[in-house]
Amino acid sequence: MGLADSSCESICVWELLGKSITQHGSGQLHTSRVSLSPLPKLPKTQDNTQNRVANHDTELEASAWLRAVSFYVHPEERKFSGQLQRLVKAQEEFQLLKERNVQREFGVGQDIGICLVAVLAEDGAHGEDTKLLIDDGRMVVLGTLDVVVARALQGQALIGNAHSAAYLANVCVSSSARRRGVGQKLVDEAVQIAQKEGVDCVYVHIYASNTIGRRFYESCGFVVEQEEDLNMARRRGQNMDGQPGSGRTVLMKFVL
């Protein structure tokens, strides 16, 4: 799905990245404003989620659905068609994630892609979004991201200068789990995974207008390495609100 820029622990990528479209990660998907169906509220001072690599189909399906909901939004008058589109995109993303896991298991392909999920014990207050339930309904997925070990990230113009690199992509956290540290825990776990893969730096792309996202990643230890200029963004057709080039990106890095 490829889902646009990485977010942090907000309700979705939209609030941190803006009205944007990029392509990277496992496929192609748009970022959009979104709110999920009600899920269990975490305590304000405690994050009880656990992070784990998504290996089973149910984990991949829940991750794909969270991404589809997080990166696609539709006006109320298009609610039905919008829901159908999310279902289609979620299925596409699930197939891509599953294929990538098979490639990683058998050592096929040059890049390594790892899907992480943040899960919480289900207490019966998950609301109507049962597609996020896993482990026979005992756990619910509240966040997800991809760690992609690669020289460059598909669909992105900015490439890290490190000899070996990993990129964060498709970062999204449910609306019920925002500002609870879920996003930061996911990023921290992703950095640890990248370190085990032997890379020199972990990178993430954000939009230049995304000051909230930049502050979040700075708080996680990331610094700016490169910034796309307006002309490059225009040539790539990166537009927001009809402004040519306004969707230019910034590449931030975490040095290991």
Side-chain angles (χ1 to χ4, degrees):
M1 199 156 21
L3 310 173
D5 264 284
S6 305
S7 75
C8 66
E9 51 180 322
S10 184
I11 83 169
C12 65
V13 177
W14 172 278
E15 290 189 348
L16 299 179
L17 304 178
K19 295 156 264 188
S20 55
I21 297 177
T22 58
Q23 299 177 353
H24 57 69
S26 50
Q28 291 98 25
L29 222 171
H30 305 166
T31 63
S32 301
R33 191 195 314 261
V34 67
S35 60
L36 293 178
S37 300
L39 290 173
K41 289 288 186 178
L42 299 179
K44 291 185 178 181
T45 59
Q46 185 178 7
D47 170 23
N48 295 322
T49 58
Q50 300 174 355
N51 296 330
R52 66 196 197 194
V53 175
N55 289 318
H56 302 294
D57 282 1
T58 54
E59 296 169 330
L60 298 177
E61 287 173 338
S63 179
W65 178 246
L66 179 57
R67 296 173 186 197
V69 173
S70 297
F71 297 114
Y72 277 95
V73 67
H74 304 273
E76 185 63 27
E77 60 270 20
R78 290 186 56 210
K79 184 177 180 179
F80 179 75
S81 60
Q83 187 72 353
L84 289 178
Q85 184 184 36
R86 287 175 175 174
L87 290 170
V88 171
K89 293 300 180 181
Q91 183 61 28
E92 291 175 354
E93 177 72 354
F94 166 67
Q95 294 298 333
L96 289 166
L97 289 172
K98 189 172 182 178
E99 178 181 347
R100 193 173 62 187
N101 273 7
V102 171
Q103 291 174 343
R104 188 177 79 247
E105 180 180 356
F106 291 97
V108 179
Q110 296 181 341
D111 301 340
I112 299 173
I114 301 170
C115 175
L116 278 180
V117 290
V119 301
L120 180 72
E122 168 55 19
D123 60 2
H126 59 80
E128 299 176 354
D129 207 338
T130 58
K131 293 182 179 64
L132 297 178
L133 295 179
I134 59 173
D135 296 351
D136 295 324
R138 296 190 303 271
M139 307 291 286
V140 61
V141 172
L142 293 178
T144 181
L145 62 72
D146 289 333
V147 185
V148 182
V149 181
R151 180 66 187 93
L153 199 58
Q154 180 184 2
Q156 289 291 348
L158 300 181
I159 301 174
N161 294 324
H163 176 69
S164 59
Y167 293 83
L168 305 185
N170 301 337
V171 184
C172 55
V173 175
S174 81
S175 58
S176 65
R178 65 183 183 271
R179 306 187 189 283
R180 301 292 189 266
V182 178
Q184 185 164 1
K185 280 181 65 175
L186 276 171
V187 171
D188 290 345
E189 182 79 13
V191 169
Q192 293 180 34
I193 288 175
Q195 190 171 30
K196 292 178 182 178
E197 294 293 334
V199 305
D200 300 324
C201 284
V202 179
Y203 290 97
V204 64
H205 293 86
I206 65 170
Y207 289 101
S209 59
N210 179 13
T211 56
I212 297 176
R214 181 181 293 201
R215 286 198 298 268
F216 169 76
Y217 286 110
E218 287 174 345
S219 72
C220 293
F222 286 74
V223 296
V224 174
E225 180 178 280
Q226 301 178 50
E227 187 163 347
E228 185 178 24
D229 62 42
L230 188 60
N231 289 332
M232 180 186 295
R234 283 173 175 168
R235 288 195 297 271
R236 294 200 304 126
Q238 295 301 293
N239 307 327
M240 291 192 298
D241 295 333
Q243 299 297 318
S246 56
R248 61 191 183 90
T249 56
V250 173
L251 183 65
M252 302 186 72
K253 69 178 179 180
F254 183 98
V255 181
L256 297 170

